[in-house]
Amino acid sequence: MMRNRTINFAKSDARPEDIKGTIGVSDRFADPKLKEAIEEQLRSEQPMAPEQEEAAMTSSENAEEASRGKRDVDDVLTEIAGTAGRFMRIPRAKLLPTPEEWNPFSQVSREKKVLMADSIYRTGLQQPIVVRSMDETGSAYQILAGNTRNEIFGILYELTKNEKYTAIEAKVYGYGELTDDQAREIASDTNYVQRAELSSRDKAYAIHTKVEMLKKNKVAAVLDRVAEQMDIQRSSVFYWNKVFNLIPEFYAYFDEGRIRLKTASRIASWPPEVQQALWERRDFLTDDMIRQIPAKTPYDQVIPRFEELLEESTAPKKELGHIQSMDVQDRTYTIHAEVDRPDDSEVVVLCVPKAKMKALCRKYGDYLIK
């Protein structure tokens, strides 16, 4: 029977000499409720249902199942570092977490972590973590991909006391083999590839990081290269790179499907104070209204233009008139109508194909007499 025992965690900024003999690397992983949920799952002798197995395989970040397009983790590593690293088992006591500023991705949910732990417990680790040595002696390794897997190993060790969970399989880069920029790019790209679900903020961060790294390295045709490496359209790279500058409130709005990608990128092209002013008017904001405000509109004119469009959209519709009667004789039409036409306009009769009628009404509905 498994017993719940305490576990020592070193601070995330601990020095190598401070973490000897500890399991885990950060007190942010000390989640009693998560441990209880995993323990309850592992106690069960019942096999997982098919839908649980599918979720567990995704949650365990199996590259073959969760990768986007044809890219997998080894492709990412080779693209960035020229090699996929060498395989080793690393004592978990030597592991340091990814720097927080390199890893702003959304936290994996507790439910997915439970399924992930069950998958690792039953079938083993499907995808090694990625680390780099922080000194010549190999006394400390920084995680570039796999913080959640490392966390799960720590919990499984606490619950089972099985020594196999005191070390973890890893793709390893030696000391000095990676620059900080390469390490940061690996941390971002592997998250993008391995996560089955990405929030808009996660995706924007990953693409923006890729764009900035290639620019820094003076790579030509940056958008084309990013599109090729991340297996998305060039236009998507352009829009998602802009979305990186979206204020947090609009990220959630975007994830809910309230605005589209192009709209989000247009809003993100304006300063935070303008975005905040639009957010305060979100109940009236539509994709169509934002599209009518060019991205290069002077910042101080964005809100006044929005207010104009809002006023136009909420103004009472003026009835131009109505058809009183229509006579048809020998293919001759006589129309009797009461019309109050606007200045500088003429009354005309059009025969419109049915397929074009909806488009005509959408664009000129205010001027049609029915």
Side-chain angles (χ1 to χ4, degrees):
M1 179 176 177
M2 297 176 219
R3 290 177 294 175
N4 192 12
R5 298 182 179 177
T6 58
I7 186 169
N8 294 323
F9 286 84
K11 297 294 185 181
S12 59
D13 59 352
R15 297 168 299 177
E17 56 267 30
D18 296 330
I19 64 176
K20 292 180 180 179
T22 63
I23 301 298
V25 292
S26 174
D27 54 7
R28 66 190 170 122
F29 292 154
D31 184 345
K33 291 183 179 179
L34 174 60
K35 294 174 187 175
E36 290 173 8
I38 292 176
E39 182 174 15
E40 182 178 351
Q41 176 72 24
L42 299 188
R43 277 178 176 154
S44 172
E45 296 300 327
Q46 300 297 323
M48 285 189 292
E51 61 271 17
Q52 287 182 305
E53 290 183 350
E54 181 179 353
M57 187 154 48
T58 298
S59 296
S60 64
E61 300 181 343
N62 184 299
E64 181 178 347
E65 296 295 330
S67 64
R68 281 157 176 76
K70 297 179 180 178
R71 279 177 104 216
D72 61 21
V73 173
D74 283 352
D75 289 336
V76 169
L77 300 178
T78 303
E79 285 171 2
I80 296 172
T83 172
R86 60 186 179 279
F87 184 83
M88 292 175 57
R89 273 182 62 83
I90 303 293
R92 294 187 53 259
K94 294 184 176 183
L95 294 177
L96 301 172
T98 308
E100 290 187 8
E101 64 271 21
W102 294 7
N103 189 28
F105 291 89
S106 305
Q107 291 293 311
V108 177
S109 70
R110 180 176 296 157
E111 293 74 17
K112 288 185 178 179
K113 286 181 179 180
V114 171
L115 291 173
M116 184 174 173
D118 194 293
S119 174
I120 291 174
Y121 178 73
R122 293 171 186 268
T123 64
L125 187 66
Q126 300 297 311
Q127 177 66 43
I129 67 172
V130 181
V131 302
R132 65 167 175 166
S133 179
M134 298 304 287
D135 57 38
E136 295 179 349
T137 63
S139 65
Y141 295 85
Q142 184 182 71
I143 299 174
L144 302 181
N147 290 283
T148 301
R149 281 163 281 173
N150 181 48
E151 175 187 4
I152 296 300
F153 261 58
I155 295 174
L156 290 175
Y157 174 77
E158 180 184 356
L159 296 177
T160 67
K161 297 309 175 190
N162 191 324
E163 291 296 318
K164 71 179 181 180
Y165 296 120
T166 63
I168 190 169
E169 295 83 0
K171 291 292 184 68
V172 181
Y173 288 96
Y175 180 67
E177 196 172 347
L178 296 176
T179 65
D180 283 349
D181 283 346
Q182 287 174 315
R184 183 169 190 161
E185 194 173 354
I186 287 173
S188 175
D189 276 25
T190 51
N191 264 292
Y192 178 83
V193 166
Q194 289 182 297
R195 293 197 177 210
E197 297 177 1
L198 286 172
S199 69
S200 58
R201 185 176 180 275
D202 293 340
K203 189 169 183 179
Y205 172 80
I207 292 174
H208 177 75
T209 298
K210 192 72 173 177
V211 169
E212 291 304 304
M213 290 300 174
L214 293 185
K215 283 183 178 179
K216 189 173 182 178
N217 292 326
K218 302 186 185 304
V219 174
V222 168
L223 296 187
D224 292 314
R225 287 291 299 277
V226 174
E228 178 184 353
Q229 291 185 15
M230 306 193 87
D231 197 26
I232 57 177
Q233 296 293 322
R234 183 183 188 279
S235 58
S236 294
V237 176
F238 175 81
Y239 293 128
W240 280 107
N241 186 47
K242 284 184 173 292
V243 169
F244 175 77
N245 293 313
L246 207 59
I247 62 174
E249 293 88 342
F250 270 122
Y251 273 125
Y253 210 61
F254 183 26
D255 283 334
E256 293 169 3
R258 306 288 291 274
I259 53 176
R260 297 179 180 177
L261 175 59
K262 290 184 180 180
T263 303
S265 70
R266 178 70 55 84
I267 293 172
S269 68
W270 296 318
E273 58 271 19
V274 174
Q275 295 187 48
Q276 191 63 46
L278 286 173
W279 173 251
E280 293 169 1
R281 296 162 172 79
R282 63 188 177 280
D283 290 342
F284 308 102
L285 186 150
T286 65
D287 290 297
D288 184 61
M289 289 177 69
I290 296 300
R291 283 198 298 268
Q292 293 183 63
I293 308 175
K296 294 184 179 180
T297 300
Y299 299 149
D300 61 350
Q301 295 180 26
V302 172
I303 300 304
R305 177 56 182 152
F306 180 87
E307 297 288 0
E308 289 177 7
L309 293 169
L310 179 59
E311 185 176 348
E312 291 173 7
S313 67
T314 57
K317 300 296 182 182
K318 182 179 179 181
E319 294 292 337
L320 299 180
H322 63 277
I323 295 175
Q324 296 172 324
S325 63
M326 182 171 63
D327 300 324
V328 183
Q329 187 174 1
D330 297 329
R331 298 181 63 83
T332 298
Y333 290 77
T334 302
I335 299 173
H336 302 276
E338 181 179 319
V339 180
D340 182 16
R341 65 181 178 84
D343 296 337
D344 299 324
S345 66
E346 295 292 339
V347 177
V348 298
V349 177
L350 297 175
C351 292
V352 181
K354 291 182 179 179
K356 302 291 184 181
M357 182 58 72
K358 285 186 178 180
L360 180 71
C361 290
R362 211 165 31 238
K363 191 166 186 179
Y364 299 108
D366 292 346
Y367 296 96
L368 297 180
I369 301 172
K370 300 177 181 180

